[in-house]
Amino acid sequence: DHPDVATMRNNIGNVYYDQGRSAEALEAYDETLRIQRAALGEDHPGVATTLDNIGIVYMNQGRYAEALEAYEEALCIRRAKL
């Protein structure tokens, strides 16, 4: 898939999140992440942004360990690339 597809899936995930549809948001973000990693590489800053989005959903669900894992992975990417 093209990176623009990932952008659109991310936007859809944002809508689901704003509607309180966390499971659907996570599905959209997971697809975004899959596309980004395949098209842009594991350490692209866009991957870090998507991991942030996933962390936000987990945090708001009270899934703190999973949120922390997503945030820490995003931080590693940002430290290496920015």
Side-chain angles (χ1 to χ4, degrees), residues 34-75:
R34 179 190 60 76
I35 294 167
Q36 287 175 324
R37 285 179 166 159
L40 305 172
E42 292 285 330
D43 59 351
H44 189 275
V47 171
T49 299
T50 301
L51 288 165
D52 283 340
N53 290 342
I54 291 169
I56 289 167
V57 175
Y58 284 149
M59 188 173 62
N60 286 322
Q61 290 180 325
R63 296 165 66 179
Y64 300 113
E66 291 163 290
L68 189 58
E69 184 178 324
Y71 288 142
E72 286 176 348
E73 187 176 349
L75 179 61

